[in-house]
Amino acid sequence: MKKTLSMIVVCALVALTPAFGQLALETGADIHNIHFHNESGELVRGTRCATLPDSSALQEKVRQQVTAQIEKMGFDFNNATEATSIPIAWHVIRGNGGVGDLTNAEINSQISVLNAAFAGTGFSFTLSSVDRTTRNGWFTRCERSNVERRMKSALNISPATTLNVYSCQPGGGILGYATFPWAYAESDYRHGVVLLYSTLPGGSAAPYNLGDTGTHEVGHYLGLYHTFQGGCGGSGDFIADTPAEASPAFGCPVGRDTCAGGGPDPIFNFMDYTDDACMNQFTADQTTRMQAAVSIYKPSL
């Protein structure tokens, strides 16, 4: 069996060093895997989620810690009537001429998408604050590690108790990235989620403009990895009830089955790469993993 119930998703996101855009520049790798529309209606080659694999040593360390926590606490949040309410501090980064500005109504629409997606997982979200910064160098280069550090250092609000979300226009057509709960001490300013502003509901980045880039990245922030991690072999994404898949799925390929014996690929899962309109579920074991990971690494949330 490629996965075990006791294992936990592990991934290091590109928000850690080096930054994704810098890595692509250094290696010459073609990292674009999607197309989406910009505000001018032009197709842009981009990247669904800017991630890099973590070391196997860290994966094993986290797996052991999460396994022990699940055994100790006996998490069962699938029928939870009360959710942990996570406040969101939203940082709008604007470029020249105010490009990238978001209204509070647009931000609240994104939070409504998050609440619908995470219903039943034991997590909910509320908007606690919004600030706006006009700085073109941050807006267009927010994926670069040196820029990201300056931006987050200046703007973060109580990262131990608050989910900090930064909307901007990452280079390389990146839709979003996040930090995992075990990446830093829970009070570290680097925690948070970075989103391409036009992925919010009603934005221009079709077919990724229904808000589920935000859902996907918050899933990472709470401890989940991509469903296609490890392909058909090994321990995969460390979640027992997401069937293995050989590679990320795009569009909405119903019936896709790239790994024999495990069932159809989890194309409807928020942690795959399908279109926003295709994504609609977290699994029971993903819920357990998020709860366990947060209780260990971000208990102040």
Side-chain angles (χ1 to χ4, degrees):
M1 187 175 184
K2 67 112 182 175
K3 306 169 186 176
T4 62
L5 185 61
S6 61
M7 289 183 173
I8 179 64
V9 168
V10 182
C11 169
L13 290 178
V14 106
L16 314 183
T17 56
F20 192 82
Q22 293 171 329
L23 180 73
L25 184 63
E26 292 165 3
T27 64
D30 182 0
I31 45 74
H32 299 99
N33 52 39
I34 59 168
H35 290 78
F36 61 91
H37 291 89
N38 63 18
E39 287 193 336
S40 300
E42 302 167 326
L43 278 176
V44 177
R45 295 182 70 216
T47 303
R48 187 72 166 103
C49 177
T51 67
L52 286 175
D54 211 354
S55 71
S56 58
L58 182 54
Q59 291 183 33
E60 177 59 19
K61 178 181 178 181
V62 173
R63 184 198 68 79
Q64 292 179 8
Q65 292 173 337
V66 172
T67 297
Q69 186 76 341
I70 292 171
E71 293 174 350
K72 175 183 176 182
M73 303 298 293
F75 292 102
D76 182 9
F77 288 86
N78 298 304
N79 297 308
T81 57
E82 294 186 8
T84 298
S85 181
I86 300 176
I88 292 179
W90 198 289
H91 311 287
V92 178
I93 315 301
R94 300 177 293 200
N96 292 338
V99 62
D101 201 4
L102 297 171
T103 66
N104 283 18
E106 290 170 322
I107 294 168
N108 276 310
S109 292
Q110 174 66 72
I111 292 173
S112 293
V113 169
L114 292 178
N115 281 320
F118 284 88
T121 67
F123 295 105
S124 66
F125 305 88
T126 59
L127 182 63
S128 63
S129 64
V130 179
D131 55 73
R132 293 175 172 83
T133 301
T134 301
R135 189 160 179 172
N136 198 63
W138 287 4
F139 178 69
T140 60
R141 299 181 181 90
C142 52
E143 86 291 352
R144 294 182 176 270
S145 58
N146 59 335
V147 174
E148 182 187 23
R149 284 194 298 269
R150 291 196 295 269
M151 176 181 73
K152 289 183 173 181
S153 178
L155 299 177
N156 80 92
I157 296 174
S158 187
T161 62
T162 305
L163 167 54
N164 285 261
V165 177
Y166 304 82
S167 57
C168 53
Q169 183 175 281
I174 293 170
L175 297 189
Y177 60 90
T179 54
F180 277 84
W182 51 79
Y184 309 106
E186 66 171 343
S187 61
D188 194 292
Y189 73 91
R190 290 170 289 185
H191 279 297
V193 165
V194 177
L195 296 176
L196 173 63
Y197 74 96
S198 54
T199 63
L200 270 68
S204 63
Y208 310 108
N209 60 342
L210 302 180
D212 282 323
T213 294
T215 303
H216 181 102
E217 301 306 338
V218 172
H220 284 316
Y221 172 82
L222 295 176
L224 296 182
Y225 196 59
H226 295 131
T227 54
F228 49 83
Q229 176 179 332
C232 296
S235 52
D237 66 351
F238 304 104
I239 301 292
D241 58 2
T242 58
E245 58 182 333
S247 60
F250 299 96
C252 195
V254 177
R256 182 182 192 251
D257 188 356
T258 56
C259 297
D265 294 352
I267 66 164
F268 303 113
N269 198 280
F270 289 115
M271 302 313 294
D272 207 337
Y273 272 10
T274 47
D275 292 353
D276 280 14
C278 191
M279 296 178 162
N280 59 30
Q281 61 186 232
F282 290 114
T283 68
D285 289 344
Q286 285 177 318
T287 291
T288 300
R289 298 301 178 266
M290 287 189 282
Q291 289 290 342
V294 169
S295 71
I296 297 168
Y297 307 108
K298 293 190 73 68
S300 299
L301 273 182

